[in-house]
Amino acid sequence: MVGGGRRRGARWLAAWLVLLGCWTALRWVDAPGPAPIVQALLVPVALTLPVLLALALLRGRRAVAAGSLALAVLLGYVAAPWFGGPRLGRAEGDVVVAAANLQFGGGDLGEVEGLVREERVDVLVLLEATSATDEWLDGSVIEQLLPHRSGESAPDASGTLVLTREPHDQLAGPEGTGFDQVAVEVDGLTVVGAHTFPPLMLSSQRWRTELALLERWLTGVEGPLVVAGDLNASTGHPALRDLMRTNGLLDAHQVAGRGWVRSWHVGSVAPGFVHIDHVLVRGRPVADAGTATVEGADHLAVWARIAPPR
């Protein structure tokens, strides 16, 4: 009986490992599906848990060796974001870019102001900006520090604003997307305030289409580039990795070795678990990156300090 129980357990574990392997493989298959599947692909740390369980129950050298190899591969994949380059001290010529999703204008702009002051933000992207956002900004410290503004607020989640310390030129940004995406050029740097549509419960096709539209627009941009905002995608998604690879973009938080960034969903019973708010950089070194809490919003703000060309 004991031997039969072990054999049944081994079969169940083998089936579980096959399912885990198929699930992991989906991270390399661009197949838009229901939102729960898309969101589950965002959690690389969770992939290791079934393997750890399997190792605790497996018997036999070959089974343990196979499980150990699978665990080593997954741990290497999960641990990669912790091993970035050295973080550089502040230097003249640095540009700090930050982005904050305000969740229908409900995020505490006082905390955003604290971020602007503490990190000496030069370019600020505000997503889901509403008329309440405009009213708060008028005459505020943020407006005094970042007096040059492009973009528009909206009564829904589509409003996007870009505020800069130095004068900027507004560019024609990506078109055909549900949320406004605002592009500016400031001090030789093109900055895109990006916000793509989220995956929906039954289909994520629109989410994938909007990432493709953004990717296509970015291919026409020359020179140093920053994409800052809520992309509703992590580097666990092939679509975002394709966008980054095609346009030579690096994730600032990964370059800085910031590890498992959990920018969403925050402020609820369930803790944040996924990195969907990004600062993607091309053409300039990343000196540092980080996050900040914005009370009243379901996202963390993200920022990156970008060094001048070497």
Side-chain angles (χ1 to χ4, degrees):
M1 291 293 292
V2 174
R6 285 185 177 179
R7 283 193 295 273
R8 284 193 297 272
R11 284 196 292 269
W12 276 107
L13 287 170
W16 181 251
L17 286 173
V18 169
L19 288 174
L20 175 67
C22 294
W23 184 258
T24 305
L26 285 176
R27 300 176 71 84
W28 285 267
V29 177
D30 190 5
I37 292 179
V38 172
Q39 291 171 1
L41 292 177
L42 304 173
V43 197
V45 171
L47 296 174
T48 64
L49 300 181
V51 181
L52 288 172
L53 176 61
L55 281 174
L57 299 176
L58 282 174
R59 297 291 186 273
R61 292 181 180 179
R62 292 182 179 178
V64 172
S68 299
L69 178 60
L71 179 63
V73 171
L74 287 175
L75 285 177
Y77 180 76
V78 170
W82 272 269
F83 294 95
R87 298 168 194 165
L88 308 178
R90 297 181 188 271
E92 185 177 353
D94 284 355
V95 175
V96 178
V97 179
N101 185 316
L102 301 176
Q103 193 180 3
F104 297 99
D108 185 352
L109 283 164
E111 294 196 328
V112 177
E113 177 187 308
L115 169 64
V116 171
R117 286 174 176 272
E118 182 176 352
E119 299 301 335
R120 304 176 196 172
V121 172
D122 299 288
V123 181
L124 175 64
V125 175
L126 295 177
L127 307 166
E128 301 194 17
T130 65
S131 58
T133 309
D134 287 330
E135 292 173 6
W136 197 98
L137 287 174
D138 290 341
S140 69
V141 171
I142 290 180
E143 187 177 60
Q144 295 170 19
L145 295 174
L146 307 172
H148 308 282
R149 188 190 309 185
S150 287
E152 296 181 354
S153 60
D156 53 18
S158 64
T160 300
L161 301 175
V162 176
L163 300 88
T164 64
R165 190 177 299 273
E166 300 297 329
H168 65 251
D169 295 323
Q170 184 169 356
L171 309 174
E175 297 181 350
T177 57
F179 300 140
D180 293 339
Q181 303 197 65
V182 181
V184 303
E185 184 175 354
V186 55
D187 194 24
L189 188 67
T190 300
V191 180
V192 185
H195 192 190
T196 57
F197 207 74
L200 300 179
M201 183 58 67
L202 298 180
S203 172
S204 59
Q205 184 59 54
R206 184 175 179 183
W207 160 82
R208 181 62 185 87
T209 299
E210 293 211 355
L211 281 172
L213 288 171
L214 177 60
E215 178 182 347
R216 192 176 307 126
W217 184 88
L218 292 172
T219 58
V221 178
E222 298 180 355
L225 172 64
V226 175
V227 180
D230 174 11
L231 297 178
N232 277 300
S234 82
T235 54
H237 290 122
L240 181 58
R241 296 200 303 271
D242 288 345
L243 180 151
M244 294 169 62
R245 182 173 57 252
T246 299
N247 294 284
L249 291 160
L250 299 175
D251 188 289
H253 291 78
Q254 291 187 358
V255 173
R258 285 296 181 178
W260 183 19
V261 177
R262 290 159 287 173
S263 68
W264 183 88
H265 182 276
V266 298
S268 66
V269 176
F273 66 91
V274 59
H275 184 187
I276 62 174
D277 302 86
H278 302 270
V279 182
L280 309 178
V281 182
R282 180 186 76 197
R284 291 194 181 179
V286 173
D288 201 357
T291 62
T293 301
V294 179
E295 190 69 30
D298 56 351
H299 294 247
L300 296 179
V302 292
W303 61 267
R305 187 155 46 82
I306 302 164
R310 292 174 179 171

